[in-house]
Amino acid sequence: MKKLLALALMSVISVGALADDWKKLGERRVSFNSETDTIHVSGFKGKFDKIFLRVEDAPIRLEKIKVVFGNGGHQNFYIRKRLEKGRQTVPLRLIDGDRVINKIELNYRTAMGGYKSAEVKVYGLRS
């Protein structure tokens, strides 16, 4: 019992430390009528080393993430994975150079189950 309690406490502490470093860049309710959506991040200043996406309310099959930078360049991430509600992608490392994020374009497919929409939140780790 003591080991289980210690393990639970350690996981809460590590999640809390992670949450302090990651900043929420934006969120979007994605509709399964579309299958493409954009999260605008232009109000945030600074450079980011990594991002991750978290899915709430319903699962989606995330195909591709396109990160568009302030200088007009972009970086694609091909995920091709079903994300269950409450789950997130692994941290995605951004390329060197201008990593000021202007927007994030999502390409996804409807997950089976009759859901109408899901909430997608994007978080960034500053350099």
Side-chain angles (χ1 to χ4, degrees):
M1 182 68 174
K2 288 182 182 180
K3 288 182 182 178
L4 182 60
L5 183 59
L7 182 60
L9 182 59
M10 286 174 30
S11 67
V12 168
I13 290 170
S14 65
V15 169
L18 179 66
D20 290 342
D21 296 330
W22 291 87
K23 305 296 180 200
K24 186 165 127 181
L25 301 180
E27 60 189 319
R28 177 95 177 166
R29 178 147 305 272
V30 297
S31 167
F32 294 146
N33 294 332
S34 175
E35 300 195 347
T36 59
D37 275 294
T38 302
I39 298 174
H40 294 277
V41 188
S42 58
F44 288 86
K45 305 291 184 201
K47 295 181 179 183
F48 292 89
D49 287 330
K50 298 177 184 177
I51 63 166
F52 75 84
L53 275 68
R54 182 171 178 81
V55 177
E56 302 289 340
D57 301 330
I60 65 171
R61 177 163 171 81
L62 187 57
E63 296 295 328
K64 181 176 126 180
I65 300 168
K66 180 178 180 180
V67 180
V68 180
F69 300 107
N71 67 357
H74 70 276
Q75 182 176 354
N76 294 321
F77 296 96
Y78 296 92
I79 307 298
R80 297 182 182 113
K81 181 178 175 183
R82 179 183 166 108
L83 290 176
E84 299 296 333
K85 69 179 185 175
R87 303 290 293 195
Q88 63 196 37
T89 65
V90 297
L92 305 169
R93 185 168 158 59
L94 300 175
I95 57 176
D96 292 332
D98 187 354
R99 294 163 290 152
V100 175
I101 300 171
N102 186 25
K103 63 184 175 179
I104 297 171
E105 298 174 0
L106 306 174
N107 189 323
Y108 56 91
R109 284 193 280 155
T110 305
M112 300 295 281
Y115 300 99
K116 293 182 181 179
S117 66
E119 182 96 20
V120 176
K121 298 177 182 181
V122 67
Y123 295 86
L125 183 64
R126 287 189 187 272
S127 46

